[in-house]
Every structure is written in structure tokens, then in C-alpha cells.
Amino acid sequence: MTERWRQDRREHRKGAVTLRGERVPASTTDQRLLDSREPADWLHADPWRVLRIQAEFVEGFGTLAELGPAVSVFGSARISPDHPSYRMAEQVGAELVRAGYAVITGGGPGVMEAANKGAAEAGGTSVGLGIELPFETGLNDYVDVGVNFRYFFVRKTMFVKYSEGFVVLPGGVGTLDELFEAITLVQTGKITSFPIVLLGNGFWAPLLDWIRDTLLAEGMIAEKDLELVRTTDDVAEGVRWIVEARAGRGAAPFTPGV
């Protein structure tokens, strides 16, 4: 290194970060904050996004911390009220409330609306965790407690953290995403005693056959991984599995209204 090179390597400390050479900013953070002529581009910079992410976690935690026992329900946003899955989701919402659970959905239409409707009309707590999307429709009318998120991963954390299990009805890519993330978290031990119930034997059978006949046959998963989900066409049976899982881990029974 030449002496001239060393002299040109100015150093600037920015909190925990050290910047040298051409990386040294021409102005300080305070100067950019207080200079009213500065454009608003900084709102979209990664460090600022961290604060937004933190704020979303704080908002979600603060809203849901006292929710009590809850179960998340997933399924297609594209079905209409006359679809069999809509009617089944309504029943799921009502049955979960009668079993002492709040019902959490993504807050949208279709299966989500139906589960929220069933919960609300049964006198329970109906929660919707919305997400900012280009084609968003807003929270459905049956949501009592709604939180909207910018970031999918923050929203997903809320589903898992405040649920004692998932009930998954027929759905598309988003539904599969939530399902397989939950399976992965259980398989890797990140969450324990977390029942995953698939409603609709006919819909899920081809997928489960592929998992068994291909993934298991090729050694991609273990035999015990097949036990991470249970399928049924009987809503009452699915809810009973969730209640039994709660009892199995020694949690006290929950009485609605207490």
C-alpha cells in the first residue's frame, strides 16, 4: 500500500458499520434527515425496510398476544359461496369456536371468508391477517380482528406463532405454500405438537399419493413424515384431532368465555 492510497482511504463510522474510501457518504445521516430538499427515496432503502418489518412484528404481536387458543384455516380465495368447500369452511369455523378456539384466516374471500363467517356467526373470535397484493380485495366482512401486512414472512410468523394447528381445505399455490411450510417446521422440530388437518380426501389424495410413491420411494423423506398430516372429509373429526393434540401435550382444556 502506498501512503497516498492510505490517505485517500477515508474512514466513516455509521453505527456498527465502517465505511472507507469511495463508500464514505458525502453527507451525514442527520444531514439527510433534516435537509428538507432531500428526496423520499430513503423510505424504500433496505435499512428503513428493517424498521417497517420490525413495526409489523410489533403490531402483530401486540394485536394477537391475548388472543387465546386459535387455529388457522387455509384454502382457496377463488371459490364462491355455493361451492362445497365454502360450506365446509363455514362448518369448520363454527366447530372450532364451539371447541374453544379463535379462528385465524388470511382475511380474504372464498374459504377464508367462509371460515371467518362460521366463527363470527357462532359467537367466536374471527381473525383476518391480510396481505398487501396488487389485486387485494381487503378483509372480508366477517373479520372481527384484522391486521394487514406488507411482508409475507411476517404474516406467516403470525399464523404459526398464534395457532395451535392448521386446517387446510382445497386451495391453490398460496394454500400449498402455507401447508408445506407448516410441514417443514414440524419435520425440523421448529414447532411441536402442531396438528395439520387436510379436509377433502378426494382433493388431497393425488398429492399424498405422489408424496408416498415418489418422495418416500426415492428416499427424499422418511416414513414417519407421512404422519405429519391427517386427512378426513369429516369436519368434526378434524376438529377433534386438534383438541386431542392439545390434551396430548398437557395443555389445560379451554372454556369459551372464561
Side-chain angles (χ1 to χ4, degrees):
M1 295 184 191
T2 64
E3 189 61 26
R4 170 67 65 183
W5 187 87
R6 286 197 182 93
Q7 291 175 1
D8 290 341
R9 297 281 287 172
R10 295 177 300 133
E11 183 172 289
H12 175 81
R13 294 186 182 276
K14 191 176 180 182
V17 178
T18 298
L19 303 172
R20 290 179 177 143
E22 295 180 355
R23 297 287 184 174
V24 176
S27 59
T28 66
T29 302
D30 283 343
Q31 181 182 351
R32 292 192 297 276
L33 174 65
L34 297 174
D35 188 348
S36 60
R37 295 168 298 175
E38 187 74 5
D41 293 347
W42 61 276
L43 284 169
H44 309 292
D46 287 343
W48 179 250
R49 289 193 182 100
V50 171
L51 296 180
R52 278 184 170 169
I53 292 166
Q54 182 184 44
E56 289 206 345
F57 275 115
V58 171
E59 190 70 34
F61 291 159
T63 302
L64 302 175
E66 298 180 350
L67 183 61
V71 172
S72 289
V73 180
F74 299 98
S76 175
R78 302 187 181 204
I79 63 168
S80 60
D82 60 354
H83 194 282
S85 291
Y86 190 101
R87 294 190 292 272
M88 181 178 279
E90 280 189 85
Q91 186 183 352
V92 169
E95 290 283 346
L96 285 170
V97 166
R98 286 192 279 269
Y101 292 97
V103 173
I104 304 174
T105 78
V111 163
M112 295 173 282
E113 176 186 286
N116 286 134
K117 180 181 179 182
E121 292 184 347
T125 301
S126 176
V127 180
L129 306 182
I131 185 69
E132 182 182 55
L133 294 171
F135 47 84
E136 67 178 310
T137 58
L139 297 176
N140 67 67
D141 293 337
Y142 300 98
V143 169
D144 299 321
V145 179
V147 185
N148 281 297
F149 296 91
R150 287 188 178 92
Y151 301 99
F152 266 113
F153 59 88
V154 179
R155 180 181 183 238
K156 287 182 175 182
T157 299
M158 300 303 153
F159 279 127
V160 174
K161 179 171 176 59
Y162 293 103
S163 296
E164 296 192 358
F166 283 0
V167 176
V168 188
L169 286 88
V173 173
T175 301
L176 294 175
D177 178 52
E178 298 291 356
L179 169 61
F180 280 103
E181 180 166 49
I183 292 173
T184 301
L185 291 172
V186 175
Q187 183 201 49
T188 55
K190 296 298 184 181
I191 50 177
T192 57
S193 301
F194 195 85
I196 303 170
V197 177
L198 305 182
L199 289 179
N201 286 331
F203 181 87
W204 296 109
L207 174 63
L208 297 176
D209 288 344
W210 176 78
I211 290 173
R212 182 184 62 254
D213 298 339
T214 302
L215 296 186
L216 181 61
E218 293 286 343
M220 305 298 178
I221 62 172
E223 182 83 35
K224 64 180 181 180
D225 292 333
L226 297 176
E227 301 172 3
L228 298 180
V229 299
R230 300 177 73 173
T231 63
T232 182
D233 286 322
D234 187 337
V235 170
E237 182 177 42
V239 172
R240 185 172 69 251
W241 289 340
I242 292 173
V243 173
E244 290 172 352
R246 178 178 178 82
R249 66 176 180 272
F254 180 76
T255 303
V258 176

